[in-house]
Amino acid sequence: YQRRVHGELDGLAPRVIVLLIGTNNFHDNSTAPEIVKGVVMLITFLRTVQPQAEVVVMGLLPRADCPNYKWWGSAAECRSGKPRGTQPGPFSRAILDTNSRLEEYCKGLPHVHFVDCGTLFLADGGARIVKALMVDYIHPTALGYRKLARSCLLPLLQRLTA
């Protein structure tokens, strides 16, 4: 959101803008309503400065309770004894709540579309995150982004740009 101040969108006229934001707010102990409020502010801004663009709001992707980061090693979530990537984790309920609120907000808004691609990253009936798709259990790998683009975003983008 702060990039808007620096003019990154000046001189551009995209047909579609895709937003995949919000998961890092959990590090600040933000709640689902707080995260949604920030996303809504960004959507409002984008629709104002890029009125020709369709805005695709992606749901937050699943994430582990203990990502593969050295600085997370001492966090309480990392001492649960569960293998990393196990779902549901402490963030699962907040992700579902955030996605539900985002989807509800986007309904009925012209030129704003919600898509939830999170299940693409899960295996064993949603019990774990696939490491090959999210090696650190929070950020998609190149393979994860390819799967996300081809299996989830492409059909929507084709429809929006037809």
Side-chain angles (χ1 to χ4, degrees):
Y1 182 71
Q2 65 192 10
R3 287 191 177 116
R4 70 177 174 82
V5 177
H6 302 292
E8 271 85 347
L9 297 175
D10 294 351
L12 300 177
R15 292 171 63 189
V16 179
I17 298 170
V18 178
L19 298 179
L20 176 55
I21 60 172
T23 195
N24 289 342
N25 295 71
F26 290 124
H27 295 296
D28 299 330
N29 296 316
S30 294
T31 64
E34 292 168 335
I35 293 169
V36 171
K37 181 180 178 182
V39 175
V40 166
M41 288 172 51
L42 183 55
I43 292 168
T44 302
F45 170 76
L46 291 171
R47 292 294 306 135
T48 301
V49 299
Q50 298 289 338
Q52 81 292 341
E54 300 290 328
V55 177
V56 175
V57 179
M58 294 185 61
L60 275 64
L61 299 176
R63 60 177 284 168
D65 56 342
C66 184
N68 278 343
Y69 295 137
K70 289 181 182 177
W71 53 267
W72 266 79
S74 60
E77 294 90 345
C78 297
R79 296 191 302 270
S80 69
K82 296 189 308 184
R84 289 184 178 185
T86 301
Q87 296 291 302
F91 296 116
S92 297
R93 182 171 288 143
I95 289 170
L96 290 173
D97 187 19
T98 302
N99 288 349
S100 175
R101 290 168 186 265
L102 286 172
E103 182 176 26
E104 189 61 34
Y105 175 78
C106 293
K107 280 183 186 174
L109 284 180
H111 309 288
V112 179
H113 313 271
F114 178 84
V115 62
D116 188 350
C117 306
T119 57
L120 295 173
F121 294 89
L122 300 174
D124 300 333
R128 68 178 177 85
I129 295 171
V130 178
K131 189 171 184 173
L133 302 177
M134 255 183 202
V135 73
D136 64 356
Y137 303 114
I138 191 169
H139 300 100
T141 60
L143 178 63
Y145 276 117
R146 274 194 301 279
K147 185 171 184 175
L148 181 132
R150 290 180 183 155
S151 300
C152 191
L153 284 177
L154 188 59
L156 175 60
L157 295 176
Q158 288 174 329
R159 187 169 48 91
L160 293 177
T161 58

